[in-house]
Protein backbone atom coordinates (compact mmCIF):
# COMPACT_ATOMS: atom_id res chain seq x y z
CA UNK A 1 0.00 0.00 0.00
CA UNK A 2 1.30 3.46 -0.91
CA UNK A 3 -0.11 6.91 -1.48
CA UNK A 4 0.26 10.50 -0.27
CA UNK A 5 0.71 11.23 3.43
CA UNK A 6 0.86 14.57 5.27
CA UNK A 7 2.86 14.63 8.50
CA UNK A 8 2.68 17.62 10.85
CA UNK A 9 5.62 18.09 13.17
CA UNK A 10 7.47 16.54 10.26
CA UNK A 11 10.92 17.83 11.21
CA UNK A 12 10.85 16.26 14.67
CA UNK A 13 12.10 12.85 15.70
CA UNK A 14 8.80 11.03 15.38
CA UNK A 15 7.82 12.95 12.25
CA UNK A 16 11.08 11.96 10.58
CA UNK A 17 10.57 8.33 11.65
CA UNK A 18 7.14 8.34 10.02
CA UNK A 19 8.67 9.83 6.89
CA UNK A 20 11.44 7.23 6.64
CA UNK A 21 9.09 4.30 7.06
CA UNK A 22 6.52 5.63 4.62
CA UNK A 23 9.18 6.39 2.01
CA UNK A 24 10.48 2.85 2.37
CA UNK A 25 6.99 1.65 1.45
CA UNK A 26 6.83 3.84 -1.65
CA UNK A 27 4.77 6.73 -0.29
CA UNK A 28 5.01 10.42 -1.15
CA UNK A 29 5.33 12.41 2.08
CA UNK A 30 4.36 16.03 2.74
CA UNK A 31 6.07 17.47 5.83
CA UNK A 32 4.60 20.43 7.70
CA UNK A 33 6.56 22.17 10.46
CA UNK A 34 7.87 25.51 11.65
CA UNK A 35 10.19 27.31 9.19
CA UNK A 36 13.21 27.07 11.50
CA UNK A 37 12.69 23.35 12.05
CA UNK A 38 12.48 22.54 8.34
CA UNK A 39 15.66 24.50 7.60
CA UNK A 40 17.64 22.01 9.68
CA UNK A 41 16.69 19.09 7.43
CA UNK A 42 19.02 17.75 4.77
CA UNK A 43 17.66 17.45 1.22
CA UNK A 44 16.28 13.96 0.80
CA UNK A 45 14.03 12.02 -1.52
CA UNK A 46 12.26 13.70 -4.42
CA UNK A 47 9.11 12.14 -2.94
CA UNK A 48 9.26 14.54 0.03
CA UNK A 49 7.64 17.98 0.02
CA UNK A 50 8.04 20.56 2.77
CA UNK A 51 5.65 23.30 3.89
CA UNK A 52 6.63 25.81 6.56
CA UNK A 53 3.73 26.72 8.82
CA UNK A 54 2.99 27.78 12.39
CA UNK A 55 -0.09 25.76 13.37
CA UNK A 56 -1.23 28.50 15.75
CA UNK A 57 -1.63 30.87 12.77
CA UNK A 58 -5.11 30.18 11.43
CA UNK A 59 -4.61 32.02 8.13
CA UNK A 60 -1.24 30.34 7.51
CA UNK A 61 -2.70 26.88 8.14
CA UNK A 62 -5.60 27.57 5.78
CA UNK A 63 -3.18 28.76 3.09
CA UNK A 64 -0.89 25.74 3.43
CA UNK A 65 -3.83 23.33 3.40
CA UNK A 66 -5.16 24.99 0.23
CA UNK A 67 -1.77 24.57 -1.47
CA UNK A 68 -1.40 20.95 -0.35
CA UNK A 69 -4.93 20.14 -1.54
CA UNK A 70 -4.24 21.78 -4.91
CA UNK A 71 -1.18 19.59 -5.39
CA UNK A 72 -2.82 16.49 -3.93
CA UNK A 73 -6.62 16.64 -4.29
CA UNK A 74 -6.92 13.17 -2.76
CA UNK A 75 -4.95 12.38 0.41
CA UNK A 76 -4.52 8.88 1.78
CA UNK A 77 -3.17 9.71 5.24
CA UNK A 78 -2.78 12.76 7.49
CA UNK A 79 -0.67 12.19 10.61
CA UNK A 80 -1.45 14.87 13.20
CA UNK A 81 1.85 14.67 15.05
CA UNK A 82 2.84 18.26 15.89
CA UNK A 83 2.89 19.20 19.56
CA UNK A 84 4.76 20.46 22.60
CA UNK A 85 4.99 19.41 26.20
CA UNK A 86 4.63 21.44 29.37
CA UNK A 87 6.17 20.25 32.61
CA UNK A 88 5.38 21.86 35.96
CA UNK A 89 2.87 22.09 38.74
CA UNK A 90 -0.35 23.89 37.86
CA UNK A 91 0.41 26.40 40.64
CA UNK A 92 3.54 27.41 38.73
CA UNK A 93 1.92 27.79 35.30
CA UNK A 94 0.00 30.69 33.82
CA UNK A 95 -3.32 30.73 32.01
CA UNK A 96 -1.50 32.12 28.99
CA UNK A 97 0.78 29.09 28.87
CA UNK A 98 -2.19 26.75 29.28
CA UNK A 99 -3.86 28.43 26.29
CA UNK A 100 -0.69 28.15 24.21
CA UNK A 101 -0.38 24.40 24.81
CA UNK A 102 -4.03 23.96 23.79
CA UNK A 103 -3.52 26.17 20.74
CA UNK A 104 -0.60 24.06 19.49
CA UNK A 105 -1.53 20.53 20.54
CA UNK A 106 -5.30 20.69 20.06
CA UNK A 107 -6.33 23.57 17.82
CA UNK A 108 -3.32 23.03 15.55
CA UNK A 109 -4.64 19.57 14.69
CA UNK A 110 -8.21 20.84 14.40
CA UNK A 111 -7.09 23.51 11.92
CA UNK A 112 -5.22 20.97 9.81
CA UNK A 113 -8.13 18.52 9.89
CA UNK A 114 -10.50 21.26 8.75
CA UNK A 115 -8.21 22.45 5.96
CA UNK A 116 -7.60 18.94 4.61
CA UNK A 117 -11.06 17.51 5.26
CA UNK A 118 -12.19 17.41 1.61
CA UNK A 119 -8.88 16.03 0.32
CA UNK A 120 -8.98 13.19 2.86
CA UNK A 121 -12.59 12.47 1.89
CA UNK A 122 -11.60 12.42 -1.80
CA UNK A 123 -8.91 9.86 -1.03
CA UNK A 124 -11.11 7.92 1.41
CA UNK A 125 -8.10 8.27 3.63
CA UNK A 126 -7.24 8.35 7.32
CA UNK A 127 -6.72 10.98 9.99
CA UNK A 128 -4.12 9.56 12.38
CA UNK A 129 -3.80 11.57 15.59
CA UNK A 130 -0.71 11.10 17.76
CA UNK A 131 -2.04 11.53 21.27
CA UNK A 132 -0.54 10.18 24.50
CA UNK A 133 -1.19 8.14 27.62
CA UNK A 134 -2.08 11.58 28.99
CA UNK A 135 -4.97 11.61 26.54
CA UNK A 136 -6.92 8.99 28.48
CA UNK A 137 -5.43 9.20 31.98
CA UNK A 138 -4.02 11.82 34.39
CA UNK A 139 -0.31 12.63 34.33
CA UNK A 140 1.60 14.38 37.09
CA UNK A 141 2.89 17.89 36.33
CA UNK A 142 1.14 17.86 32.96
CA UNK A 143 -2.20 19.63 33.47
CA UNK A 144 -2.14 21.58 30.20
CA UNK A 145 -0.56 18.75 28.23
CA UNK A 146 -3.08 16.19 29.53
CA UNK A 147 -5.95 18.58 28.85
CA UNK A 148 -4.79 19.11 25.26
CA UNK A 149 -4.46 15.38 24.64
CA UNK A 150 -7.83 14.60 26.26
CA UNK A 151 -9.34 17.22 23.93
CA UNK A 152 -7.53 15.69 20.96
CA UNK A 153 -8.96 12.26 21.78
CA UNK A 154 -12.46 13.67 22.16
CA UNK A 155 -12.27 15.55 18.88
CA UNK A 156 -10.93 12.72 16.73
CA UNK A 157 -13.09 9.99 18.27
CA UNK A 158 -16.12 12.18 17.56
CA UNK A 159 -14.87 13.05 14.07
CA UNK A 160 -14.70 9.33 13.32
CA UNK A 161 -18.47 8.99 13.62
CA UNK A 162 -19.03 11.91 11.25
CA UNK A 163 -16.48 11.00 8.58
CA UNK A 164 -17.31 7.28 8.35
CA UNK A 165 -20.07 8.08 5.86
CA UNK A 166 -17.38 9.54 3.55
CA UNK A 167 -15.23 6.41 3.75
CA UNK A 168 -12.72 8.17 6.01
CA UNK A 169 -11.10 6.41 8.94
CA UNK A 170 -9.85 8.02 12.13
CA UNK A 171 -7.10 6.47 14.25
CA UNK A 172 -5.75 7.59 17.63
CA UNK A 173 -2.29 6.48 18.78
CA UNK A 174 -1.29 6.82 22.44
CA UNK A 175 2.44 6.45 23.15
CA UNK A 176 3.77 6.47 26.70
CA UNK A 177 7.18 8.12 26.21
CA UNK A 178 8.95 8.51 22.87
CA UNK A 179 12.50 9.82 23.33
CA UNK A 180 12.49 12.26 20.42
CA UNK A 181 14.58 14.99 22.08
CA UNK A 182 16.68 13.42 24.86
CA UNK A 183 18.37 16.15 26.87
CA UNK A 184 16.90 18.91 24.68
CA UNK A 185 13.78 20.06 26.55
CA UNK A 186 14.67 23.75 26.05
CA UNK A 187 11.72 24.74 28.22
CA UNK A 188 11.03 28.39 28.92
CA UNK A 189 9.79 29.88 32.17
CA UNK A 190 6.31 28.65 31.33
CA UNK A 191 7.54 25.04 31.25
CA UNK A 192 6.72 24.60 27.55
CA UNK A 193 9.35 22.62 25.72
CA UNK A 194 10.21 20.02 23.14
CA UNK A 195 8.26 16.77 23.34
CA UNK A 196 10.13 13.59 24.22
CA UNK A 197 12.76 15.33 26.35
CA UNK A 198 11.39 14.93 29.88
CA UNK A 199 13.72 13.56 32.55
CA UNK A 200 10.82 11.78 34.27
CA UNK A 201 9.84 9.75 31.21
CA UNK A 202 9.07 6.05 31.51
CA UNK A 203 8.79 3.09 29.14
CA UNK A 204 11.15 4.98 26.84
CA UNK A 205 11.25 3.96 23.19
CA UNK A 206 12.91 5.27 20.06
CA UNK A 207 10.97 7.28 17.45
CA UNK A 208 11.49 4.53 14.87
CA UNK A 209 10.10 1.89 17.22
CA UNK A 210 7.06 4.03 18.05
CA UNK A 211 6.40 4.92 14.40
CA UNK A 212 6.60 1.25 13.47
CA UNK A 213 4.02 0.27 16.09
CA UNK A 214 1.68 3.09 15.05
CA UNK A 215 1.86 2.43 11.31
CA UNK A 216 1.50 -1.32 11.84
CA UNK A 217 -1.60 -0.78 13.98
CA UNK A 218 -3.08 1.55 11.38
CA UNK A 219 -2.47 -0.95 8.58
CA UNK A 220 -4.19 -3.65 10.64
CA UNK A 221 -7.29 -1.48 10.92
CA UNK A 222 -7.03 -0.51 14.59
CA UNK A 223 -8.88 2.64 15.64
CA UNK A 224 -6.94 3.03 18.91
CA UNK A 225 -3.27 2.11 19.27
CA UNK A 226 -1.59 2.08 22.71
CA UNK A 227 2.12 2.40 21.93
CA UNK A 228 4.39 0.53 24.31
CA UNK A 229 4.01 -1.80 27.27
CA UNK A 230 3.13 0.92 29.78
CA UNK A 231 0.60 2.51 27.44
CA UNK A 232 -1.15 -0.82 26.84
CA UNK A 233 -1.17 -1.70 30.53
CA UNK A 234 -2.19 1.83 31.54
CA UNK A 235 -5.11 1.77 29.10
CA UNK A 236 -6.45 -1.44 30.60
CA UNK A 237 -5.91 -0.43 34.23
CA UNK A 238 -7.41 3.03 33.81
CA UNK A 239 -10.53 1.59 32.17
CA UNK A 240 -10.98 -0.98 34.93
CA UNK A 241 -10.00 1.21 37.89
CA UNK A 242 -9.02 4.89 37.50
CA UNK A 243 -8.30 5.00 41.22
CA UNK A 244 -5.76 2.18 40.94
CA UNK A 245 -4.13 3.88 37.96
CA UNK A 246 -3.71 7.12 39.94
CA UNK A 247 -2.26 5.22 42.90
CA UNK A 248 0.28 3.44 40.69
CA UNK A 249 1.26 6.71 39.02
CA UNK A 250 1.85 8.46 42.35
CA UNK A 251 3.85 5.48 43.66
CA UNK A 252 6.07 5.70 40.57
CA UNK A 253 6.56 9.44 41.16
CA UNK A 254 7.53 9.00 44.82
CA UNK A 255 10.24 6.52 43.81
CA UNK A 256 11.86 9.01 41.41
Amino acid sequence: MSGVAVVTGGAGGLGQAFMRQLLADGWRVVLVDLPGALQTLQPGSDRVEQFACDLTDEDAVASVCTEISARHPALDLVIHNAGVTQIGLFDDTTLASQRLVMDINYFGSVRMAAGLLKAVRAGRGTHLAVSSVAGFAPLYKRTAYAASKHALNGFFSSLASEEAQHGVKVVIAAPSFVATNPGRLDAGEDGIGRPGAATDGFDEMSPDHAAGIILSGWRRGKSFIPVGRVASLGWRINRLSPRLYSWLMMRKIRRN
Side-chain angles (χ1 to χ4, degrees):
M1 177 183 178
S2 61
V4 180
V6 176
V7 182
T8 68
L14 189 55
Q16 287 288 287
F18 282 128
M19 180 197 73
R20 287 190 293 271
Q21 295 187 31
L22 289 168
L23 286 176
D25 287 339
W27 285 67
R28 176 171 290 277
V29 182
V30 179
L31 302 178
V32 179
D33 212 319
L34 293 168
L38 290 173
Q39 288 172 0
T40 66
L41 300 180
Q42 297 296 322
S45 170
D46 58 3
R47 287 185 285 117
V48 176
E49 301 171 39
Q50 297 180 5
F51 289 87
C53 184
D54 181 344
L55 298 191
T56 67
D57 185 330
E58 191 166 336
D59 291 338
V61 173
S63 177
V64 161
C65 287
T66 297
E67 188 172 353
I68 292 173
S69 298
R71 294 190 185 189
H72 307 288
L75 292 172
D76 301 282
L77 177 65
V78 177
I79 302 180
H80 301 273
N81 169 65
V84 295
T85 190
Q86 184 186 42
I87 303 174
L89 297 170
F90 174 64
D91 190 38
D92 297 326
T93 64
T94 64
L95 291 179
S97 69
Q98 295 263 335
R99 289 192 189 97
L100 181 56
V101 173
M102 288 294 294
D103 203 15
I104 297 170
N105 291 2
Y106 172 66
F107 284 108
S109 293
V110 171
R111 293 181 185 107
M112 287 297 299
L116 299 177
L117 197 68
K118 292 182 179 179
V120 176
R121 286 178 179 177
R124 299 177 71 84
T126 300
H127 291 279
L128 197 167
V130 179
S131 182
S132 164
V133 169
F136 62 78
L139 192 58
Y140 184 69
K141 286 188 175 181
R142 307 291 200 286
T143 52
Y145 180 75
S148 69
K149 294 300 186 178
H150 271 71
L152 198 72
N153 284 16
F155 171 77
F156 279 105
S157 60
S158 299
L159 184 67
S161 61
E162 297 181 12
E163 291 302 293
Q165 63 181 313
H166 301 287
V168 171
K169 296 180 180 178
V170 176
V171 178
I172 298 172
S176 48
F177 184 72
V178 183
T180 51
N181 290 290
R184 299 176 60 232
L185 181 63
D186 295 339
E189 292 182 3
D190 53 13
I192 297 175
R194 299 173 185 267
T199 57
D200 60 351
F202 52 89
D203 192 31
E204 181 176 310
M205 69 181 69
S206 71
D208 286 296
H209 186 194
I213 293 173
I214 293 169
L215 292 175
S216 175
W218 160 63
R219 291 189 181 101
R220 285 183 286 146
K222 291 189 174 183
S223 59
F224 181 76
I225 308 168
V227 184
R229 181 181 59 85
V230 169
S232 298
L233 188 60
W235 169 248
R236 294 186 181 94
I237 292 174
N238 191 61
R239 290 188 70 186
L240 292 171
S241 175
R243 185 175 181 179
L244 174 60
Y245 178 91
S246 294
W247 179 81
L248 290 170
M249 177 182 64
M250 293 309 297
R251 187 180 70 167
K252 168 72 175 175
I253 289 164
R254 293 189 192 103
R255 287 179 176 177
N256 289 340

